[in-house]
Amino acid sequence: MFFYGTLRHVPLLSLVLGRDVPERVEASLPGFAAHQAKDQPFPMIVRNPEAAAQGVLMPGLSEEDVKRLDFYEGGFAYDLIEVTVQTEDGPRPAQVYFPREGHWQTGPLWSLEAWAAQWADMTMIAAQEVMDRYGKQDAALIQTLLPFFRARAWARQMARVAAPQTLRNPMTMDDVRIVREREGYDGFFRIKAFNLTHKRFDGGQSGEIPRETFVAFDAALVLPYDPVTDRVMLVEQLRFGPIQRGDPAPWVLEPIAGLVDVGEPPSETARREAVEEAGLKIDRIEPMLNGYASPGYSTEFFHMFLGVCDLSDRAAQGQGGLASENEDIRNHVIPFDQAMALIESGEVNAVPLAMMLLWLATKRDGLRAAV
């Protein structure tokens, strides 16, 4: 089998195979070049009669090796094709994973070194989630979920920068030990079950504690505000949490929000979601707060922003959302004082929106004075 892309990265190939990487032979594939798949953190192979894709040839793969590779590559909509590669000892027959026709668009030429510097860590985390499902789910499902695996992996990378520890104690993850992992749930969302022990405040060690964690995503939230007209935009949509809680009115007022895509700064997510959910161009983004939504059981982390913009030509209500994502969103442009009254009445019952409005209340005079 000939590898021209990310599987040339030995740690990734070892993870996919579930074992140490066997001997590899330097090889090339004439008539082809490795390009980045457009807007994706992985490469694709493209016909080019004047080029030769560089890579490695791996002979002697077992049937189990091929099954694991097929499962992993199937998540990218890649299939094996017969080719002839060139080695120091001459031409050799091989198989290579080609993208399905028309599935990905071609981006710039791809570099293993540049990819490793930017994307290797994220790819390893996402690949582990893929291979955790080997033998349990099929590659077609993995293909639909792979962007969310990468979003979770990107969240783990962003989490590496810890918040200050001035009031908090100086303990770190070195003082926590995951004793074992138990069977959880792997779907669009993930529930990880595990047993842990940790250092106690009194210096002792806790007993073994069984716990479960809801593994979600990082999300960017933006509250649009027009300091000239002193109006804010709130979005309203049906939410599944209130449905399952038994709330008789499960439509919720919220800020604009969306998942942070892999490699995307949260501020850019906020701008993108404002366009998608409300057709709204944000003039200036100001950071509000960052934090966990419910740290007792969930990894979900919010990056919150104020979006300074022009709402003067906006009607009191409008429609928004992407049909491709089954979004049915109503936008409300209302005076700031009315929004604060909705907190008092309890109609604003999404805590992030209440928090963002209260934050705006402390900055509002300064924002209005600056226009």
Side-chain angles (χ1 to χ4, degrees):
M1 197 170 289
F2 175 74
F3 298 131
Y4 62 86
T6 59
L7 289 176
R8 292 163 61 192
H9 186 62
V10 173
L12 177 61
L13 181 57
S14 179
L15 189 159
V16 172
L17 294 178
R19 64 184 181 91
D20 291 339
V21 174
E23 183 180 354
R24 305 182 303 163
V25 177
E26 294 293 324
S28 64
L29 180 58
F32 293 89
H35 284 252
Q36 180 180 331
K38 185 178 179 181
D39 300 326
Q40 300 295 330
F42 55 83
M44 59 188 290
I45 198 154
V46 177
R47 293 186 183 276
N48 183 336
E50 300 179 356
Q54 301 302 307
V56 294
L57 185 67
M58 286 190 57
L61 291 171
S62 70
E63 183 179 343
E64 176 65 11
D65 290 336
V66 175
K67 286 181 179 178
R68 292 179 69 93
L69 287 163
D70 282 347
F71 180 76
Y72 181 72
E73 292 287 347
F76 295 83
Y78 284 16
D79 297 311
L80 282 174
I81 302 293
E82 300 284 343
V83 296
T84 299
V85 299
Q86 293 292 331
T87 71
E88 285 187 354
D89 298 326
R92 297 273 297 273
Q95 292 180 307
V96 62
Y97 285 102
F98 271 75
R100 291 171 195 161
E101 188 71 28
H103 196 87
W104 304 109
Q105 294 183 341
T106 304
L109 285 171
W110 183 79
S111 159
L112 177 64
E113 293 73 21
W115 169 86
Q118 185 174 7
W119 298 116
D121 287 352
M122 180 282 299
T123 300
M124 289 289 292
I125 297 169
Q128 183 64 66
E129 186 162 353
V130 172
M131 297 314 297
D132 283 348
R133 299 166 189 241
Y134 175 67
K136 303 173 186 176
Q137 298 171 354
D138 62 35
L141 177 61
I142 299 303
Q143 186 180 327
T144 65
L145 295 176
L146 192 56
F148 304 105
F149 297 170
R150 291 200 293 263
R152 274 197 281 263
W154 184 241
R156 287 184 66 87
Q157 281 194 254
M158 288 192 288
R160 291 174 180 171
V161 180
Q165 292 173 278
T166 56
L167 178 62
R168 296 188 297 162
N169 75 86
M171 289 188 284
T172 68
M173 274 299 298
D174 291 338
D175 300 296
V176 179
R177 184 168 72 90
I178 305 297
V179 178
R180 65 188 179 95
E181 294 191 349
R182 297 176 280 111
E183 185 174 357
Y185 171 78
D186 290 320
F188 175 82
F189 291 113
R190 198 177 202 198
I191 297 175
K192 296 201 73 172
F194 54 92
N195 289 24
L196 63 78
T197 66
H198 65 87
K199 187 176 180 180
R200 294 171 50 87
F201 289 126
D202 62 12
Q205 191 73 16
S206 75
E208 187 171 318
I209 307 168
R211 287 292 183 267
E212 292 81 37
T213 297
F214 181 77
V215 184
F217 310 92
D218 278 26
L221 288 63
V222 59
L223 177 65
Y225 175 62
D226 183 344
V228 175
T229 63
D230 198 27
R231 297 196 299 171
V232 295
M233 176 185 283
L234 315 182
V235 300
E236 178 185 359
Q237 57 188 316
L238 178 66
R239 286 309 202 184
F240 308 125
I243 290 174
Q244 294 301 325
R245 182 173 177 262
D247 192 324
W251 277 261
V252 180
L253 294 170
E254 297 176 283
I256 292 170
L259 303 183
V260 179
D261 285 344
V262 60
E264 186 176 46
S267 60
E268 289 307 307
T269 305
R271 290 183 182 275
R272 172 174 56 78
E273 289 292 336
V275 173
E276 292 177 4
E277 293 193 3
L280 183 63
K281 180 182 180 295
I282 300 296
D283 297 325
R284 187 173 82 250
I285 284 278
E286 294 198 7
M288 285 183 167
L289 303 166
N290 299 328
Y292 290 98
S294 187
Y297 75 94
S298 175
T299 68
E300 189 170 30
F301 191 90
F302 290 159
H303 305 264
M304 290 173 274
F305 301 93
L306 183 73
V308 179
C309 58
D310 180 4
L311 296 175
S312 61
D313 62 348
R314 291 276 168 163
Q317 290 182 353
Q319 295 294 117
L322 295 178
S324 61
E325 296 183 8
N326 297 308
E327 291 179 330
D328 179 40
I329 297 173
R330 183 162 67 162
N331 307 311
H332 300 270
V333 177
I334 61 174
F336 175 80
D337 287 340
Q338 182 182 350
M340 294 300 288
L342 293 172
I343 296 178
E344 292 294 326
S345 71
E347 188 166 350
V348 168
N349 57 3
V351 171
L353 175 57
M355 185 188 315
M356 295 169 82
L357 287 168
L358 291 168
W359 183 95
L360 176 56
T362 69
K363 309 291 184 181
R364 177 179 169 226
D365 289 347
L367 289 165
R368 301 208 70 199
V371 296

